[in-house]
Amino acid sequence: MYEFLLFNVMSNVATITNFAVLWISSGLLPMFIKNSAFQWFIFKYPTSEGGVVGFISFLIAYVCAQIVNFIVQRKIVFGSTNKIGKALPWYILTVVVAGIISVWLPPHVIGLIKPVTGNVAPTIANFVNIIIQVVINYPMMKFVIMKKD
């Protein structure tokens, strides 16, 4: 139980990173990229739900947060001593799966809640992403990725 609480508390470091990068990139990217609707593979970001700027912002925020999360979880929460060569491929697979969900989901959540929440919808969508990541990441880290040799 203590480890799960510590996992969630220390995940806030990644969460803060995620929000900071999301807000910064959402503010800066329109200066360099003309926003337009974005559609590729399963990702569909109409301009009303962020467009290409929203897609890139969520993607950059997610990658930065996962890098911070790997370091914090490995060193502080799990005290993992296994070789990074064994842990990293599993971590990358886990964050790619969680990442696809986290990048695919926001326009759907935003489209659903925006009529009620207005401009707060992207922030709420990010909270939904974070909850999904905890549900995926904690069991993978505890039982597969962050082992002690």
Side-chain angles (χ1 to χ4, degrees), residues 31-44:
M31 290 189 252
F32 304 102
I33 299 172
K34 182 180 179 199
N35 201 15
S36 60
F38 177 79
Q39 185 168 353
W40 175 76
F41 188 44
I42 60 171
F43 308 111
K44 185 177 182 182

mmCIF file with all atom_site columns, all heavy atoms in Angstrom, residues 31-44:
data_model
loop_
_atom_site.group_PDB
_atom_site.id
_atom_site.type_symbol
_atom_site.label_atom_id
_atom_site.label_alt_id
_atom_site.label_comp_id
_atom_site.label_asym_id
_atom_site.label_entity_id
_atom_site.label_seq_id
_atom_site.pdbx_PDB_ins_code
_atom_site.Cartn_x
_atom_site.Cartn_y
_atom_site.Cartn_z
_atom_site.occupancy
_atom_site.B_iso_or_equiv
_atom_site.pdbx_formal_charge
_atom_site.auth_seq_id
_atom_site.auth_comp_id
_atom_site.auth_asym_id
_atom_site.auth_atom_id
_atom_site.pdbx_PDB_model_num
ATOM 1   N N   . MET A 1 31 ? 2.887   29.753 -32.764 1.00 0.00 ? 31 MET A N   1
ATOM 2   C CA  . MET A 1 31 ? 3.793   30.746 -33.343 1.00 0.00 ? 31 MET A CA  1
ATOM 3   C C   . MET A 1 31 ? 4.604   30.152 -34.489 1.00 0.00 ? 31 MET A C   1
ATOM 4   O O   . MET A 1 31 ? 5.125   30.878 -35.328 1.00 0.00 ? 31 MET A O   1
ATOM 5   C CB  . MET A 1 31 ? 4.744   31.285 -32.275 1.00 0.00 ? 31 MET A CB  1
ATOM 6   C CG  . MET A 1 31 ? 4.078   32.164 -31.255 1.00 0.00 ? 31 MET A CG  1
ATOM 7   S SD  . MET A 1 31 ? 5.295   32.963 -30.203 1.00 0.00 ? 31 MET A SD  1
ATOM 8   C CE  . MET A 1 31 ? 5.033   32.067 -28.692 1.00 0.00 ? 31 MET A CE  1
ATOM 9   N N   . PHE A 1 32 ? 4.723   28.810 -34.501 1.00 0.00 ? 32 PHE A N   1
ATOM 10  C CA  . PHE A 1 32 ? 5.577   28.156 -35.489 1.00 0.00 ? 32 PHE A CA  1
ATOM 11  C C   . PHE A 1 32 ? 4.819   27.241 -36.442 1.00 0.00 ? 32 PHE A C   1
ATOM 12  O O   . PHE A 1 32 ? 5.311   26.898 -37.506 1.00 0.00 ? 32 PHE A O   1
ATOM 13  C CB  . PHE A 1 32 ? 6.656   27.329 -34.760 1.00 0.00 ? 32 PHE A CB  1
ATOM 14  C CG  . PHE A 1 32 ? 7.468   28.136 -33.799 1.00 0.00 ? 32 PHE A CG  1
ATOM 15  C CD1 . PHE A 1 32 ? 7.224   28.069 -32.429 1.00 0.00 ? 32 PHE A CD1 1
ATOM 16  C CD2 . PHE A 1 32 ? 8.454   28.988 -34.250 1.00 0.00 ? 32 PHE A CD2 1
ATOM 17  C CE1 . PHE A 1 32 ? 7.968   28.813 -31.539 1.00 0.00 ? 32 PHE A CE1 1
ATOM 18  C CE2 . PHE A 1 32 ? 9.206   29.746 -33.373 1.00 0.00 ? 32 PHE A CE2 1
ATOM 19  C CZ  . PHE A 1 32 ? 8.962   29.665 -32.011 1.00 0.00 ? 32 PHE A CZ  1
ATOM 20  N N   . ILE A 1 33 ? 3.642   26.804 -36.031 1.00 0.00 ? 33 ILE A N   1
ATOM 21  C CA  . ILE A 1 33 ? 2.856   25.873 -36.847 1.00 0.00 ? 33 ILE A CA  1
ATOM 22  C C   . ILE A 1 33 ? 1.471   26.469 -37.070 1.00 0.00 ? 33 ILE A C   1
ATOM 23  O O   . ILE A 1 33 ? 0.813   26.882 -36.117 1.00 0.00 ? 33 ILE A O   1
ATOM 24  C CB  . ILE A 1 33 ? 2.696   24.507 -36.135 1.00 0.00 ? 33 ILE A CB  1
ATOM 25  C CG1 . ILE A 1 33 ? 4.046   23.861 -35.884 1.00 0.00 ? 33 ILE A CG1 1
ATOM 26  C CG2 . ILE A 1 33 ? 1.794   23.588 -36.957 1.00 0.00 ? 33 ILE A CG2 1
ATOM 27  C CD1 . ILE A 1 33 ? 3.962   22.611 -35.022 1.00 0.00 ? 33 ILE A CD1 1
ATOM 28  N N   . LYS A 1 34 ? 1.056   26.488 -38.328 1.00 0.00 ? 34 LYS A N   1
ATOM 29  C CA  . LYS A 1 34 ? -0.302  26.924 -38.622 1.00 0.00 ? 34 LYS A CA  1
ATOM 30  C C   . LYS A 1 34 ? -1.245  25.800 -38.211 1.00 0.00 ? 34 LYS A C   1
ATOM 31  O O   . LYS A 1 34 ? -1.117  24.660 -38.675 1.00 0.00 ? 34 LYS A O   1
ATOM 32  C CB  . LYS A 1 34 ? -0.465  27.238 -40.102 1.00 0.00 ? 34 LYS A CB  1
ATOM 33  C CG  . LYS A 1 34 ? -1.843  27.744 -40.438 1.00 0.00 ? 34 LYS A CG  1
ATOM 34  C CD  . LYS A 1 34 ? -1.984  28.058 -41.906 1.00 0.00 ? 34 LYS A CD  1
ATOM 35  C CE  . LYS A 1 34 ? -3.414  28.540 -42.114 1.00 0.00 ? 34 LYS A CE  1
ATOM 36  N NZ  . LYS A 1 34 ? -3.825  28.465 -43.462 1.00 0.00 ? 34 LYS A NZ  1
ATOM 37  N N   . ASN A 1 35 ? -2.166  26.107 -37.322 1.00 0.00 ? 35 ASN A N   1
ATOM 38  C CA  . ASN A 1 35 ? -3.061  25.070 -36.829 1.00 0.00 ? 35 ASN A CA  1
ATOM 39  C C   . ASN A 1 35 ? -4.085  24.684 -37.888 1.00 0.00 ? 35 ASN A C   1
ATOM 40  O O   . ASN A 1 35 ? -4.646  25.532 -38.576 1.00 0.00 ? 35 ASN A O   1
ATOM 41  C CB  . ASN A 1 35 ? -3.778  25.527 -35.553 1.00 0.00 ? 35 ASN A CB  1
ATOM 42  C CG  . ASN A 1 35 ? -4.285  24.348 -34.755 1.00 0.00 ? 35 ASN A CG  1
ATOM 43  O OD1 . ASN A 1 35 ? -3.879  23.209 -34.988 1.00 0.00 ? 35 ASN A OD1 1
ATOM 44  N ND2 . ASN A 1 35 ? -5.151  24.608 -33.804 1.00 0.00 ? 35 ASN A ND2 1
ATOM 45  N N   . SER A 1 36 ? -4.281  23.391 -37.995 1.00 0.00 ? 36 SER A N   1
ATOM 46  C CA  . SER A 1 36 ? -5.282  22.861 -38.919 1.00 0.00 ? 36 SER A CA  1
ATOM 47  C C   . SER A 1 36 ? -5.764  21.534 -38.357 1.00 0.00 ? 36 SER A C   1
ATOM 48  O O   . SER A 1 36 ? -5.191  21.002 -37.411 1.00 0.00 ? 36 SER A O   1
ATOM 49  C CB  . SER A 1 36 ? -4.672  22.665 -40.311 1.00 0.00 ? 36 SER A CB  1
ATOM 50  O OG  . SER A 1 36 ? -3.593  21.762 -40.237 1.00 0.00 ? 36 SER A OG  1
ATOM 51  N N   . ALA A 1 37 ? -6.801  21.005 -38.944 1.00 0.00 ? 37 ALA A N   1
ATOM 52  C CA  . ALA A 1 37 ? -7.284  19.693 -38.518 1.00 0.00 ? 37 ALA A CA  1
ATOM 53  C C   . ALA A 1 37 ? -6.183  18.660 -38.764 1.00 0.00 ? 37 ALA A C   1
ATOM 54  O O   . ALA A 1 37 ? -5.416  18.762 -39.726 1.00 0.00 ? 37 ALA A O   1
ATOM 55  C CB  . ALA A 1 37 ? -8.540  19.328 -39.277 1.00 0.00 ? 37 ALA A CB  1
ATOM 56  N N   . PHE A 1 38 ? -6.105  17.681 -37.867 1.00 0.00 ? 38 PHE A N   1
ATOM 57  C CA  . PHE A 1 38 ? -5.085  16.648 -37.979 1.00 0.00 ? 38 PHE A CA  1
ATOM 58  C C   . PHE A 1 38 ? -5.767  15.293 -37.944 1.00 0.00 ? 38 PHE A C   1
ATOM 59  O O   . PHE A 1 38 ? -6.569  15.006 -37.057 1.00 0.00 ? 38 PHE A O   1
ATOM 60  C CB  . PHE A 1 38 ? -4.086  16.749 -36.820 1.00 0.00 ? 38 PHE A CB  1
ATOM 61  C CG  . PHE A 1 38 ? -3.055  15.668 -36.825 1.00 0.00 ? 38 PHE A CG  1
ATOM 62  C CD1 . PHE A 1 38 ? -1.964  15.752 -37.668 1.00 0.00 ? 38 PHE A CD1 1
ATOM 63  C CD2 . PHE A 1 38 ? -3.177  14.567 -36.002 1.00 0.00 ? 38 PHE A CD2 1
ATOM 64  C CE1 . PHE A 1 38 ? -1.008  14.747 -37.689 1.00 0.00 ? 38 PHE A CE1 1
ATOM 65  C CE2 . PHE A 1 38 ? -2.229  13.560 -36.001 1.00 0.00 ? 38 PHE A CE2 1
ATOM 66  C CZ  . PHE A 1 38 ? -1.134  13.654 -36.852 1.00 0.00 ? 38 PHE A CZ  1
ATOM 67  N N   . GLN A 1 39 ? -5.436  14.463 -38.930 1.00 0.00 ? 39 GLN A N   1
ATOM 68  C CA  . GLN A 1 39 ? -5.976  13.113 -38.941 1.00 0.00 ? 39 GLN A CA  1
ATOM 69  C C   . GLN A 1 39 ? -4.926  12.180 -39.487 1.00 0.00 ? 39 GLN A C   1
ATOM 70  O O   . GLN A 1 39 ? -4.425  12.356 -40.609 1.00 0.00 ? 39 GLN A O   1
ATOM 71  C CB  . GLN A 1 39 ? -7.241  13.027 -39.787 1.00 0.00 ? 39 GLN A CB  1
ATOM 72  C CG  . GLN A 1 39 ? -7.881  11.661 -39.697 1.00 0.00 ? 39 GLN A CG  1
ATOM 73  C CD  . GLN A 1 39 ? -9.284  11.627 -40.274 1.00 0.00 ? 39 GLN A CD  1
ATOM 74  O OE1 . GLN A 1 39 ? -9.841  12.646 -40.638 1.00 0.00 ? 39 GLN A OE1 1
ATOM 75  N NE2 . GLN A 1 39 ? -9.849  10.451 -40.356 1.00 0.00 ? 39 GLN A NE2 1
ATOM 76  N N   . TRP A 1 40 ? -4.567  11.188 -38.694 1.00 0.00 ? 40 TRP A N   1
ATOM 77  C CA  . TRP A 1 40 ? -3.619  10.165 -39.094 1.00 0.00 ? 40 TRP A CA  1
ATOM 78  C C   . TRP A 1 40 ? -3.871  8.917  -38.265 1.00 0.00 ? 40 TRP A C   1
ATOM 79  O O   . TRP A 1 40 ? -4.059  9.010  -37.058 1.00 0.00 ? 40 TRP A O   1
ATOM 80  C CB  . TRP A 1 40 ? -2.177  10.661 -38.871 1.00 0.00 ? 40 TRP A CB  1
ATOM 81  C CG  . TRP A 1 40 ? -1.151  9.616  -39.148 1.00 0.00 ? 40 TRP A CG  1
ATOM 82  C CD1 . TRP A 1 40 ? -0.735  9.181  -40.367 1.00 0.00 ? 40 TRP A CD1 1
ATOM 83  C CD2 . TRP A 1 40 ? -0.408  8.884  -38.175 1.00 0.00 ? 40 TRP A CD2 1
ATOM 84  N NE1 . TRP A 1 40 ? 0.216   8.210  -40.219 1.00 0.00 ? 40 TRP A NE1 1
ATOM 85  C CE2 . TRP A 1 40 ? 0.444   8.007  -38.882 1.00 0.00 ? 40 TRP A CE2 1
ATOM 86  C CE3 . TRP A 1 40 ? -0.382  8.867  -36.793 1.00 0.00 ? 40 TRP A CE3 1
ATOM 87  C CZ2 . TRP A 1 40 ? 1.305   7.133  -38.243 1.00 0.00 ? 40 TRP A CZ2 1
ATOM 88  C CZ3 . TRP A 1 40 ? 0.480   8.000  -36.147 1.00 0.00 ? 40 TRP A CZ3 1
ATOM 89  C CH2 . TRP A 1 40 ? 1.320   7.150  -36.877 1.00 0.00 ? 40 TRP A CH2 1
ATOM 90  N N   . PHE A 1 41 ? -3.901  7.783  -38.907 1.00 0.00 ? 41 PHE A N   1
ATOM 91  C CA  . PHE A 1 41 ? -4.099  6.511  -38.216 1.00 0.00 ? 41 PHE A CA  1
ATOM 92  C C   . PHE A 1 41 ? -5.387  6.592  -37.390 1.00 0.00 ? 41 PHE A C   1
ATOM 93  O O   . PHE A 1 41 ? -6.433  6.842  -37.952 1.00 0.00 ? 41 PHE A O   1
ATOM 94  C CB  . PHE A 1 41 ? -2.847  6.213  -37.400 1.00 0.00 ? 41 PHE A CB  1
ATOM 95  C CG  . PHE A 1 41 ? -2.782  4.863  -36.770 1.00 0.00 ? 41 PHE A CG  1
ATOM 96  C CD1 . PHE A 1 41 ? -3.141  3.718  -37.469 1.00 0.00 ? 41 PHE A CD1 1
ATOM 97  C CD2 . PHE A 1 41 ? -2.346  4.715  -35.459 1.00 0.00 ? 41 PHE A CD2 1
ATOM 98  C CE1 . PHE A 1 41 ? -3.065  2.469  -36.882 1.00 0.00 ? 41 PHE A CE1 1
ATOM 99  C CE2 . PHE A 1 41 ? -2.263  3.472  -34.868 1.00 0.00 ? 41 PHE A CE2 1
ATOM 100 C CZ  . PHE A 1 41 ? -2.621  2.346  -35.576 1.00 0.00 ? 41 PHE A CZ  1
ATOM 101 N N   . ILE A 1 42 ? -5.329  6.406  -36.096 1.00 0.00 ? 42 ILE A N   1
ATOM 102 C CA  . ILE A 1 42 ? -6.534  6.483  -35.266 1.00 0.00 ? 42 ILE A CA  1
ATOM 103 C C   . ILE A 1 42 ? -6.700  7.859  -34.634 1.00 0.00 ? 42 ILE A C   1
ATOM 104 O O   . ILE A 1 42 ? -7.628  8.094  -33.876 1.00 0.00 ? 42 ILE A O   1
ATOM 105 C CB  . ILE A 1 42 ? -6.520  5.409  -34.151 1.00 0.00 ? 42 ILE A CB  1
ATOM 106 C CG1 . ILE A 1 42 ? -5.304  5.589  -33.248 1.00 0.00 ? 42 ILE A CG1 1
ATOM 107 C CG2 . ILE A 1 42 ? -6.595  4.015  -34.753 1.00 0.00 ? 42 ILE A CG2 1
ATOM 108 C CD1 . ILE A 1 42 ? -5.320  4.727  -32.015 1.00 0.00 ? 42 ILE A CD1 1
ATOM 109 N N   . PHE A 1 43 ? -5.789  8.766  -34.947 1.00 0.00 ? 43 PHE A N   1
ATOM 110 C CA  . PHE A 1 43 ? -5.794  10.078 -34.310 1.00 0.00 ? 43 PHE A CA  1
ATOM 111 C C   . PHE A 1 43 ? -6.567  11.075 -35.166 1.00 0.00 ? 43 PHE A C   1
ATOM 112 O O   . PHE A 1 43 ? -6.243  11.283 -36.329 1.00 0.00 ? 43 PHE A O   1
ATOM 113 C CB  . PHE A 1 43 ? -4.370  10.573 -34.086 1.00 0.00 ? 43 PHE A CB  1
ATOM 114 C CG  . PHE A 1 43 ? -3.519  9.566  -33.370 1.00 0.00 ? 43 PHE A CG  1
ATOM 115 C CD1 . PHE A 1 43 ? -2.488  8.931  -34.014 1.00 0.00 ? 43 PHE A CD1 1
ATOM 116 C CD2 . PHE A 1 43 ? -3.776  9.245  -32.046 1.00 0.00 ? 43 PHE A CD2 1
ATOM 117 C CE1 . PHE A 1 43 ? -1.706  7.989  -33.364 1.00 0.00 ? 43 PHE A CE1 1
ATOM 118 C CE2 . PHE A 1 43 ? -3.007  8.302  -31.383 1.00 0.00 ? 43 PHE A CE2 1
ATOM 119 C CZ  . PHE A 1 43 ? -1.969  7.681  -32.044 1.00 0.00 ? 43 PHE A CZ  1
ATOM 120 N N   . LYS A 1 44 ? -7.561  11.683 -34.545 1.00 0.00 ? 44 LYS A N   1
ATOM 121 C CA  . LYS A 1 44 ? -8.387  12.660 -35.247 1.00 0.00 ? 44 LYS A CA  1
ATOM 122 C C   . LYS A 1 44 ? -8.548  13.884 -34.359 1.00 0.00 ? 44 LYS A C   1
ATOM 123 O O   . LYS A 1 44 ? -9.207  13.822 -33.315 1.00 0.00 ? 44 LYS A O   1
ATOM 124 C CB  . LYS A 1 44 ? -9.748  12.061 -35.575 1.00 0.00 ? 44 LYS A CB  1
ATOM 125 C CG  . LYS A 1 44 ? -10.616 12.951 -36.412 1.00 0.00 ? 44 LYS A CG  1
ATOM 126 C CD  . LYS A 1 44 ? -11.914 12.259 -36.768 1.00 0.00 ? 44 LYS A CD  1
ATOM 127 C CE  . LYS A 1 44 ? -12.747 13.166 -37.638 1.00 0.00 ? 44 LYS A CE  1
ATOM 128 N NZ  . LYS A 1 44 ? -14.041 12.545 -37.952 1.00 0.00 ? 44 LYS A NZ  1
#
